[in-house]
Amino acid sequence: MSSDAPAWLQAEKAEIDNHESNGSWSVVDRSQLPPGRSLVRLIWVYKTKRDGSKKARLCVQGCAQIAGVDFDQTFCAAMRGTSLRALASLAASMGMRMRRWDF
């Protein structure tokens, strides 16, 4: 067992607590599933941050999902305005053009 095991377990617990407090899932028994449906598979993704802290993310295997059945919302990470301004400044200083971006 790794010496970092307690930190990873704490990171996993924090991730599960976040999901429970957000109400982003519900635990179901296999017997409650509609006929022909299966449980969505989950995988853990681990990362050690620059400051040495541990981050664990619980991710759904998206390739096994059906839109409108397994999910009805999607998420897209958004860029902060300060990051966009920094990139625009860098592009301008290097004589580059920015062709598209999202807000």
Side-chain angles (χ1 to χ4, degrees):
M1 186 178 237
S2 168
S3 62
D4 291 338
W8 289 118
L9 291 172
Q10 184 177 357
E12 286 179 357
K13 183 178 178 345
E15 178 72 358
I16 289 173
D17 290 345
N18 283 337
H19 281 290
E20 287 177 348
S21 67
N22 290 335
S24 59
W25 69 15
S26 56
V27 178
V28 296
D29 190 78
R30 287 184 188 268
S31 64
Q32 296 174 327
L33 291 174
R37 298 296 304 147
S38 60
L39 293 174
V40 177
R41 300 172 105 189
L42 301 173
I43 58 171
W44 282 104
V45 177
Y46 300 97
K47 181 175 183 177
T48 301
K49 304 292 244 174
R50 289 182 187 167
D51 64 359
S53 63
K54 309 296 185 202
K55 177 74 177 177
R57 292 238 164 106
L58 189 58
C59 301
V60 175
Q61 274 189 318
C63 61
Q65 293 182 305
I66 300 170
V69 176
D70 295 318
F71 66 93
D72 60 357
Q73 297 177 0
T74 58
F75 171 78
C76 179
M79 180 184 294
R80 291 183 181 195
T82 54
S83 299
L84 179 59
R85 286 192 294 276
L87 285 174
S89 175
L90 181 64
S93 69
M94 297 178 74
M96 302 171 87
R97 289 179 30 188
M98 292 179 63
R99 289 193 276 186
R100 45 180 94 136
W101 54 84
D102 254 337
F103 290 102

